[in-house]
Amino acid sequence: MVAQEAGTPLAVKELIVAAAGTSDSEWHKTHNGGHGGVASLLTEYGESNHALDTRAVPFIRDMQLNILSQPRNTQLQLLLARKDEIISRLNSDYMRPWFGRTADGRVVDLEEMTYAEVICRLVELMYVTHQQRWVHESHLKLVVDFISRCECRMSATAAEIPISILLNKVEPTAYADTVVRLYPGSKTQLLTSEDVQFFVQLCKRRGQKPLPFIPVLDLDFGVLLLKDTVWQSEDLASVVDQDPQRVGIQQGPVAAQYSTRTDEPVKDIIDGIYNSHVAAFLERLHHGDESSVPVVEYIGAEPATNLLNQMSAVKTQTEHVYRLPADSELLPGHHNWLETLAGPSKSWLRALLTTPVIAQDARLTDNHFQRLLRPRPGRITTVYFDNGQPISLQVVGSSGIMELELGRIDENSIVLTVHHETVSGNVVLLKLEYSYCRGCILAPIHSSKVQNDEVIRQFYIEAARNNPSAPETKPDDPESEFQLRYDLVFD
């Protein structure tokens, strides 16, 4: 919440940073009130939660402990017994102040307000003047609905142009003046009992954003007080006086001690977590001596030691040639064959052949290289080396035609080239690129589906053009291209 990229208001970030927080062994003390700048309280759903110990939180705890936790049939009596105190606390400490207030600033009930005063108060609490926006679009509808009610109450006959239409031409801050100009009686006429109830029902209307004020003390006080209050800590501009002490700011007591700087970039936060973990492992496993940490090609399973001798193999310093038997009964097992090709040490080739999955954008897919390189009768597979490290792999089929190639473009890139012989005898190449990410433990091999899909599409088109029996296609005609069906199977 204090990160530079977070939408949290600066004043809220400063309160979070100012909170000392607690140790892991003392967080339970927040159940008894503020401790380390954090207190626990119940949410609108009755679940325990933690928030900064702002002025709003002790008030919420007081209401929950002494009123809202009591039997429902006694709550109204308890509220009315403390009415003046509760209204005072709402107006001084809470994000949702008491609604009733006259034009001269007196705190009153709804019955003591005029229609113009209600309209003026609605705009004051729900329209953010300095940003020229409503807190929520549903609040504008509430204001217009009440003004329409006022029009019905003040006018003996239906107006030629409804006032709701006229309001489109004026700023919200001028709504009350517009109503008074059209209906002067709205400035002196107090709300009728019917309209008081109508207004309260508007405030409780289903489907609208909970209102940033308390209109009445009744049995729904807990809902009006607590429902969906988190948004107000994120939209401080809509809070009275833009005071962060009025809102509930969710923050864990232990986590609070680690928020030490406002507007810290997310990268710095994550780097700090990462570096502290590395330092902790280094101290625990290697006594802080970085030079004693072993260096590996990538993090993964160790190579198998029992490699195969069931095929003809010719090995030199620069290449290993494996010739599989023509009899399928004599073929080696799939797993052992891949282990043989991968070699006795970790490398990009071992990662490519033995990792169970490949990261394809945001998804993990089965490693198709394991199917692509499965042992097949008569195949000749050659692995080329440079300074003892594999640099490429070639597979020649039993017919003596090149089937596929694997090689590195650079330190972090691998390319697969599939040789496809068409019915006309021409060879069409399919080249797919992959990334080699040594630090990715689960899936060190990555691919881009969007990029490779386009390459595969072009491959299909080229293969179709080399098929005499296929219908004629035009390069820029997606309809004709789509009608050609080809299945690319790594087999």
Side-chain angles (χ1 to χ4, degrees), residues 123-312:
V123 173
E124 176 189 357
L125 293 175
M126 299 195 299
Y127 183 73
V128 185
T129 305
H130 65 281
Q131 294 181 349
Q132 294 186 320
R133 66 176 176 89
W134 291 93
V135 173
H136 192 265
E137 59 184 13
S138 62
H139 295 169
L140 170 60
K141 184 177 187 305
L142 185 150
V143 175
V144 172
D145 287 348
F146 182 78
I147 291 177
S148 297
R149 178 76 168 201
C150 173
E151 181 180 37
C152 293
R153 186 64 67 188
M154 296 293 153
S155 177
T157 59
E160 293 184 6
I161 302 177
I163 193 171
S164 58
I165 302 298
L166 298 176
L167 293 178
N168 292 328
K169 302 179 180 180
V170 299
E171 288 294 316
T173 50
Y175 281 4
D177 291 339
T178 302
V179 173
V180 170
R181 178 171 54 82
L182 295 173
Y183 305 106
S186 63
K187 189 173 183 179
T188 56
Q189 175 66 51
L190 298 179
L191 265 65
T192 66
S193 296
E194 290 179 350
D195 288 345
V196 168
Q197 295 304 314
F198 174 77
F199 179 79
V200 172
Q201 291 307 311
L202 281 182
C203 292
K204 298 179 181 180
R205 182 162 55 187
R206 293 175 63 89
Q208 71 185 2
K209 191 76 170 173
L211 304 179
F213 57 79
I214 305 296
V216 66
L217 297 182
D218 62 9
L219 289 177
D220 292 325
F221 176 70
V223 176
L224 297 170
L225 184 76
L226 298 174
K227 186 176 181 180
D228 192 16
T229 57
V230 174
W231 68 268
Q232 290 187 266
S233 69
E234 300 170 347
D235 186 10
L236 206 57
S238 67
V239 176
V240 177
D241 301 328
Q242 300 178 37
D243 183 359
Q245 286 285 344
R246 286 178 173 270
V247 298
I249 304 167
Q250 293 187 346
Q251 185 72 9
V254 178
Q257 62 183 309
Y258 298 107
S259 296
T260 58
R261 181 157 63 97
T262 61
D263 288 333
E264 184 176 5
V266 166
K267 180 182 182 302
D268 292 353
I269 295 174
I270 295 176
D271 284 348
I273 296 171
Y274 172 79
N275 292 329
S276 64
H277 275 73
V278 171
F281 279 119
L282 185 63
E283 181 62 33
R284 187 174 71 180
L285 301 177
H286 301 282
H287 306 291
D289 182 9
E290 190 172 342
S291 63
S292 66
V293 178
V295 178
V296 295
E297 174 69 18
Y298 69 91
I299 300 175
E302 293 299 320
T305 55
N306 298 323
L307 301 182
L308 295 170
N309 294 312
Q310 294 151 288
M311 75 292 293
S312 174

Side-chain angles (χ1 to χ4, degrees), residues 29-41:
K29 294 181 180 180
T30 60
H31 288 302
N32 300 322
H35 185 72
V38 181
S40 64
L41 68 164

Side-chain angles (χ1 to χ4, degrees), residues 442-481:
L442 179 62
I445 306 299
H446 293 229
S447 71
S448 170
K449 185 177 187 301
V450 175
Q451 178 180 338
N452 283 347
D453 278 357
E454 176 59 24
V455 174
I456 292 171
R457 191 180 75 89
Q458 293 298 330
F459 167 78
Y460 285 164
I461 296 171
E462 188 63 27
R465 289 177 182 150
N466 284 272
N467 183 357
S469 63
E472 182 180 355
T473 62
K474 299 178 181 180
D476 299 324
D477 185 359
E479 290 294 330
S480 63
E481 292 171 9

Side-chain angles (χ1 to χ4, degrees), residues 260-463:
T260 58
R261 181 157 63 97
T262 61
D263 288 333
E264 184 176 5
V266 166
K267 180 182 182 302
D268 292 353
I269 295 174
I270 295 176
D271 284 348
I273 296 171
Y274 172 79
N275 292 329
S276 64
H277 275 73
V278 171
F281 279 119
L282 185 63
E283 181 62 33
R284 187 174 71 180
L285 301 177
H286 301 282
H287 306 291
D289 182 9
E290 190 172 342
S291 63
S292 66
V293 178
V295 178
V296 295
E297 174 69 18
Y298 69 91
I299 300 175
E302 293 299 320
T305 55
N306 298 323
L307 301 182
L308 295 170
N309 294 312
Q310 294 151 288
M311 75 292 293
S312 174
V314 177
K315 298 183 180 181
T316 67
Q317 288 186 343
T318 59
E319 63 181 45
H320 291 177
V321 182
Y322 301 94
R323 187 184 298 272
L324 290 172
D327 188 348
S328 60
E329 296 293 329
L330 300 177
L331 291 177
H334 189 189
H335 173 75
N336 289 342
W337 167 242
L338 294 178
E339 284 285 346
T340 300
L341 294 180
S345 60
K346 289 183 178 179
S347 66
W348 65 272
L349 184 59
R350 168 163 285 279
L352 193 71
L353 299 185
T354 63
T355 303
V357 294
I358 289 176
Q360 188 179 75
D361 298 325
R363 298 173 57 240
L364 293 178
T365 62
D366 291 339
N367 186 345
H368 45 258
F369 289 99
Q370 295 178 351
R371 300 194 305 276
L372 192 63
L373 291 169
R374 70 179 186 178
R376 303 185 71 172
R379 260 188 174 179
I380 301 174
T381 304
T382 305
V383 181
Y384 294 94
F385 294 85
D386 182 22
N387 294 324
Q389 292 297 315
I391 57 174
S392 64
L393 178 148
Q394 292 182 348
V395 176
V396 176
S398 57
S399 62
I401 298 175
M402 178 77 70
E403 292 184 351
L404 63 90
E405 298 174 90
L406 280 172
R408 295 181 73 172
I409 303 174
D410 52 45
E411 284 295 311
N412 302 313
S413 301
I414 302 168
V415 62
L416 163 67
T417 305
V418 177
H419 295 247
H420 172 70
E421 184 178 8
T422 66
V423 293
S424 61
N426 296 325
V427 174
V428 180
L429 302 182
L430 170 64
K431 291 188 176 184
L432 302 176
E433 292 188 13
Y434 300 81
S435 298
Y436 175 39
C437 180
R438 295 176 176 84
C440 300
I441 300 175
L442 179 62
I445 306 299
H446 293 229
S447 71
S448 170
K449 185 177 187 301
V450 175
Q451 178 180 338
N452 283 347
D453 278 357
E454 176 59 24
V455 174
I456 292 171
R457 191 180 75 89
Q458 293 298 330
F459 167 78
Y460 285 164
I461 296 171
E462 188 63 27

